[in-house]
């Protein structure tokens, strides 16, 4: 009778590429394998960077993220209408 052992699954190619990018990969590894509170630290850091951008460049820095998410919202709306 064969002994069946489970081996840990290897991350996919896309995940290995993302995790190999220096700063983004460190944050992603910390989010995947670290403390569960790390997501809150990431959100605070992103909001702080956005606030610093608004203080530096003003109104355009406030509106550009909304403009950047327009294609994402189109895709979401199309997926909702398809069912």
């Amino acid at each position: 009778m064969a002994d069946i052992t489970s081996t840990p699954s290897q991350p996919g190619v896309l995940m290995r590429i993302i995790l190999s990018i220096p700063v983004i990969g460190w944050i992603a590894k910390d989010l995947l394998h670290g403390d569960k509170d790390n997501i809150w630290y990431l959100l605070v850091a992103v909001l702080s960077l956005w606030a610093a951008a608004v203080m530096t460049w003003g109104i355009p820095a406030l509106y550009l993220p909304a403009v950047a998410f327009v294609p994402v919202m189109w895709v979401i709306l199309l997926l909702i209408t398809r069912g």
Side-chain angles (χ1 to χ4, degrees), residues 1-7:
M1 209 183 279
D3 204 14
I4 300 175
T5 59
S6 65
T7 59

Side-chain angles (χ1 to χ4, degrees), residues 1-39:
M1 209 183 279
D3 204 14
I4 300 175
T5 59
S6 65
T7 59
S9 63
Q10 295 293 327
V13 174
L14 181 63
M15 185 59 95
R16 281 187 281 160
I17 291 171
I18 290 172
L19 292 177
S20 68
I21 299 171
V23 175
I24 296 171
W26 297 333
I27 294 170
K29 283 178 196 173
D30 203 27
L31 288 174
L32 289 173
H33 304 294
D35 190 17
K36 297 298 178 191
D37 290 335
N38 289 339
I39 187 70

Side-chain angles (χ1 to χ4, degrees), residues 30-76:
D30 203 27
L31 288 174
L32 289 173
H33 304 294
D35 190 17
K36 297 298 178 191
D37 290 335
N38 289 339
I39 187 70
W40 299 112
Y41 299 134
L42 176 67
L43 290 175
V44 168
V46 168
L47 287 175
S48 297
L49 286 173
W50 189 27
V54 170
M55 289 172 33
T56 303
W57 294 294
I59 296 296
L62 185 66
Y63 294 146
L64 280 177
V67 173
F69 280 112
V70 168
V72 174
M73 200 65 209
W74 272 101
V75 170
I76 290 171

